[in-house]
Amino acid sequence: MVISYFKRKKKKMKELREKRRELHYQQNRNFILGIAEDVFSRFGYSQTSMDLIAQETQFSKATLYRYFAGKQDLFFSVIQNSLGDLGVQLTAIQRKNFSPEEKIKKIVVAIFKFYHKKKNIGRALFLERMFARKRQEVSPGEHHPQIPNNLRKKLLELSETINEVIREGIDQGVFAPVDPEDASFILGSLVRGFVFRGPLGRKEYSPHQASELVSRYFLYGIARSNQPKKIS
Amino acid sequence: MVISYFKRKKKKMKELREKRRELHYQQNRNFILGIAEDVFSRFGYSQTSMDLIAQETQFSKATLYRYFAGKQDLFFSVIQNSLGDLGVQLTAIQRKNFSPEEKIKKIVVAIFKFYHKKKNIGRALFLERMFARKRQEVSPGEHHPQIPNNLRKKLLELSETINEVIREGIDQGVFAPVDPEDASFILGSLVRGFVFRGPLGRKEYSPHQASELVSRYFLYGIARSNQPKKIS
Amino acid sequence: MVISYFKRKKKKMKELREKRRELHYQQNRNFILGIAEDVFSRFGYSQTSMDLIAQETQFSKATLYRYFAGKQDLFFSVIQNSLGDLGVQLTAIQRKNFSPEEKIKKIVVAIFKFYHKKKNIGRALFLERMFARKRQEVSPGEHHPQIPNNLRKKLLELSETINEVIREGIDQGVFAPVDPEDASFILGSLVRGFVFRGPLGRKEYSPHQASELVSRYFLYGIARSNQPKKIS
Amino acid sequence: MVISYFKRKKKKMKELREKRRELHYQQNRNFILGIAEDVFSRFGYSQTSMDLIAQETQFSKATLYRYFAGKQDLFFSVIQNSLGDLGVQLTAIQRKNFSPEEKIKKIVVAIFKFYHKKKNIGRALFLERMFARKRQEVSPGEHHPQIPNNLRKKLLELSETINEVIREGIDQGVFAPVDPEDASFILGSLVRGFVFRGPLGRKEYSPHQASELVSRYFLYGIARSNQPKKIS
DNA sequence: TATGAATGAGCATTCATTCAT
DNA sequence: TATGAATGAATGCTCATTCAT
């Protein structure tokens, strides 16, 4: 009895310790993710060195490697982390009781807000080629083959949420009978291209203006005439 | 007389030799540009080393530096070179006797064809941060401050050609009275975003499909209802 | 109580470990300095590559950069290190109770001994132009503008110590009423010029002979007649 | 007869052409030497590139290699050339009817003037290690083993001229019975050290002041007492 | 667990020298 | 004769990653 009591107590303590450890682990991980997001966001992928992240987090470089498998893993984890929030927001919008047009507008606003702070993260995700050690060619159409599955899944979820909104619109007869995947891809492209505007020093749009503009064009296009009846 | 005859002949020969030399120089330069376009296009800017280009061109690295001032110069020269053709095409379209809608469609096709082979060049131009030596934070909206002026000019010309088409459309009452700069920026964004689709292995669009889709959405949007009368 | 005991013990261990680490760091640093002194001394500045030093120290090049900020820093650190000893010796001599003439002789001996092993270090310090990246013309009289301040200070200290000895000699009426700065500069020049003898394969002087000779000429000159009464 | 006339004429023409060619060759060579002297003098040896000299002379690099065997040869030729003038001056002084002290003073002035314009040439000659392709260690006391014989000879001639003056002084009882070679080496050291003053931003001496100072110290030393009777 | 230390592989750029024309 | 073109071999420096403690 006594022994079993102690044993139980010991076991419990061990559990607690592990929990504490686990908690601590997650705290540190999240802490690193936060800082890294900022750094990647400011410098992009290839211009961000592990040294810099280590410096900013005040951890040693070796420690970073305890929490993440490498620079790439860290980067993708940062994105995964960031996308979480966005996913929650998009889902919320999709479930609310707005008109499809309203929903689109709100989605666009949410995505723009998301990009606003994390411009260079997106840039890095969408545009930089990143390879571990050896240079590695990428056949077109098979980009970033090294993107981890969970991140891929997360991105598809986001996309699916938008698809859903578009489907609703079509069902309600508000949107033309387009292919929802095409449409959501077009919307994504529009926003993406808007944010990654390239090296031209053009006029700057506020997030509000940007959302307005993008929503408008996505919804109504530029032509005065109605859209064609049949859609390929 | 005789002397002057020989002198003239000598002079002529010298000129010919120089012409040949100049030609040779331009040939080599163009040869390098071609290979470099391919390499940059496959690996992006920062993952392309001068060593690699040297290897592919079968020139020595030092020779590359005879033709170009450095990696950046080479890269920008590649782009400049590529954009030349595109500019010619866009201008031709703009001057033809098509309807504005037709012109837009043709422009989109041209741009897509341009991007088709040079996907990663565009990617690199629009998205990679390049810095000569020191890491450098970039305030958003002030991207790539180091882009050379002639390249900037070329890009603006392209943009202006599109603006012109849109202005025509508005004047003819075919397009809504939008701001032409906004509209061309939206069109550019759409294409750009479409091409730089990010790491998701989505369904692949042929250049033809892509052009169709993008033109359609840019012109008519997704909504069934007409566009709003007033535009901010 | 028990806890505090362990805590104290733990803290102490940590301190010890840090001390050990610090010691190790200094050892390595000094080790590198030693080897680098030798290498620089054999090849001069510009002919010494970081690769070579790495090879000689059996550290990797990257490690050298952990201990020193760059080639120049390493070089100046080597000199700083070397000059330390010399400064101590000169000061000791200046403070002893010798006659000014004796002091000069001893100073000359000390400097010659210093140069003996480090001939090419001095050569490099005094004569090679070092520039980080760009070739750069140097207006005469404004040499080595990039010499770090602490090194400059150290050199001035040495010079000042010699000045002091000369001042004493003048005060005691043993030396002519010359300008002490001029005199110490002359002495320095004499030694320097003696050591950096140029490409002529002349007869070799032992450090002893060299000191004798230089001291004698500095003190008494070559003329049989007395020195002129008035000095510029 | 006629034939022989023509033959003679032809031969003469050939000779003339060769003479002209030779003249042209020497002109070009001297032209290059002049420019190179200036460039080496401004940048030192290792910081002067063949490219730079080619640029300044407006010859091609390949042409430089027609006139000189390589960078080192060019450099030594420059020095040889420069030293020619100096040799003539020193010999003239030595042969004039001045007192030995006067001669020394004039010699010092001449050397200072020589160095004045060519500071970095001297610096390079005396202090930079230069090696063709492979780094090459130099055992102390056997400096610059690659110095060409004619340059060595020229330098020894200069030295011998000074020796001669000193010998005269000793014979006339004006100078102490020192070893003339030692003395001339001391004088050389003094000037050399004075000119190559190192990285300290000390007070600047005009050529006039410098000559005065150096002559004075060389002749009379600093001590008030007479020089020791016996000299080792 | 956390880290200081170490490094291999790479990178953009330079330059003395050679050679075909 | 003169040169444009080409290059092999360096060079200083960086960085993601590993490992002993």
Side-chain angles (χ1 to χ4, degrees), chain D residues 69 81 109 118 130 206:
Chain D
N81 198 46
V109 169
K118 306 174 189 185
M130 53 211 113
S206 74

Side-chain angles (χ1 to χ4, degrees), chain A residues 170-222:
Chain A
I170 297 172
D171 290 350
Q172 295 176 26
V174 185
F175 291 162
V178 295
D179 177 75
E181 285 207 15
D182 284 355
S184 71
F185 182 56
I186 286 284
L187 181 56
S189 299
L190 197 38
V191 178
R192 200 156 56 234
F194 201 98
V195 175
F196 307 144
R197 70 179 54 191
L200 237 55
R202 276 169 147 285
K203 98 172 158 193
E204 201 62 33
Y205 297 90
S206 74
H208 178 73
Q209 291 175 309
S211 318
E212 280 288 319
L213 208 55
V214 165
S215 303
R216 215 203 66 77
Y217 275 88
F218 178 67
L219 288 170
Y220 313 110
I222 193 178

Side-chain angles (χ1 to χ4, degrees), chain C residues 41-44 46-49 52 101 119-120 122-131 133-138 140-144 147 151-152 155-156 159 163 166 170 173-179 181-205 212-214 216-232, chain D residues 42-44 46-49 52 76 101 119-120 122-131 133-138 140-144 147 151-153 155-156 159 163 166 170 173-179 181-190 192-205 212-214 216-232:
Chain C
S41 188
R42 284 191 290 153
F43 299 111
S46 67
Q47 286 291 327
T48 296
S49 70
L52 182 55
E101 286 175 317
K119 201 174 291 197
N120 282 303
R123 183 190 304 275
L125 175 59
F126 282 107
L127 295 136
E128 277 191 54
R129 312 239 112 286
M130 301 152 252
F131 304 108
R133 294 223 145 246
K134 286 245 65 67
R135 188 179 4 248
Q136 194 181 329
E137 190 173 348
V138 179
E142 194 202 342
H143 305 289
H144 299 267
I147 189 174
L151 184 50
R152 185 184 298 272
L155 286 167
L156 286 172
S159 168
N163 286 352
I166 291 170
I170 297 172
V174 184
F175 292 164
V178 296
D179 178 74
E181 286 207 12
D182 284 354
S184 72
F185 182 56
I186 285 283
L187 181 56
S189 299
L190 197 40
V191 177
R192 199 156 57 235
F194 200 97
V195 174
F196 308 145
R197 71 180 56 191
L200 234 55
R202 275 170 148 283
K203 99 173 158 192
E204 199 62 34
Y205 298 88
E212 280 288 319
L213 207 56
V214 165
R216 216 203 63 77
Y217 275 88
F218 178 66
L219 289 169
Y220 313 110
I222 193 179
R224 212 150 202 173
S225 74
N226 239 351
Q227 52 192 310
K229 298 292 179 287
K230 253 184 74 181
I231 283 148
S232 64
Chain D
R42 283 191 290 153
F43 298 111
S46 68
Q47 289 290 326
T48 295
S49 70
L52 184 54
F76 283 132
E101 285 175 320
K119 200 173 287 196
N120 281 305
R123 182 190 303 275
L125 175 59
F126 284 108
L127 296 136
E128 279 192 52
R129 312 238 114 285
M130 53 211 113
F131 305 106
R133 257 281 122 109
K134 286 267 21 104
R135 190 179 5 250
Q136 192 182 331
E137 187 173 352
V138 179
E142 193 201 342
H143 305 289
H144 300 269
I147 190 175
L151 182 51
R152 184 184 300 272
K153 224 178 95 191
L155 285 166
L156 285 173
S159 169
N163 286 352
I166 290 170
I170 296 173
V174 184
F175 291 164
V178 296
D179 178 75
E181 285 208 14
D182 284 355
S184 72
F185 182 56
I186 285 284
L187 181 57
S189 299
L190 196 41
R192 201 156 54 235
F194 200 98
V195 174
F196 307 144
R197 70 181 53 193
L200 236 55
R202 278 169 146 285
K203 103 173 152 192
E204 200 62 34
Y205 298 90
E212 279 288 317
L213 208 56
V214 164
R216 217 205 62 78
Y217 274 88
F218 178 67
L219 290 170
Y220 313 109
I222 193 179
R224 213 147 201 179
S225 74
N226 239 351
Q227 51 190 315
K229 298 294 181 286
K230 254 185 73 180
I231 285 150
S232 61

Side-chain angles (χ1 to χ4, degrees), chain B residues 100-118:
Chain B
E101 285 176 318
E102 279 302 307
K103 283 184 181 177
I104 290 291
K105 283 180 188 170
K106 286 185 192 301
I107 283 174
V108 170
V109 169
I111 300 180
F112 265 105
K113 274 191 185 152
F114 168 74
Y115 274 132
H116 188 59
K117 201 202 144 195
K118 307 174 190 186

Side-chain angles (χ1 to χ4, degrees), chain A residues 47, chain B residues 45 72 130-134 136 146:
Chain A
Q47 288 290 326
Chain B
Y45 181 79
Q72 247 187 63
M130 296 152 256
F131 304 109
R133 293 224 145 244
K134 286 245 64 68
Q136 193 181 330
Q146 77 284 32

Side-chain angles (χ1 to χ4, degrees), chain A residues 42 47 123 126-127 135 137 159 174 176 182 192-193 196 198 202-203 205 218-220 222-224 227, chain B residues 42 47 123 126-127 135 137 143 159 174 176 182 192-193 196 198 202 205 218-219 222-224 227:
Chain A
R42 284 192 290 152
Q47 288 290 326
R123 182 190 303 275
F126 285 107
L127 296 137
R135 191 177 7 250
E137 188 173 352
S159 169
V174 185
D182 284 355
R192 200 156 56 234
F196 307 144
R202 276 169 147 285
K203 98 172 158 193
Y205 297 90
F218 178 67
L219 288 170
Y220 313 110
I222 193 178
R224 215 151 199 172
Q227 51 192 311
Chain B
R42 285 190 288 153
Q47 286 292 326
R123 184 190 302 278
F126 282 108
L127 295 137
R135 188 178 6 248
E137 190 172 349
H143 305 291
S159 169
V174 184
D182 284 355
R192 201 156 56 234
F196 307 144
R202 277 171 147 282
Y205 298 90
F218 178 66
L219 289 169
I222 193 178
R224 212 151 201 175
Q227 52 191 313

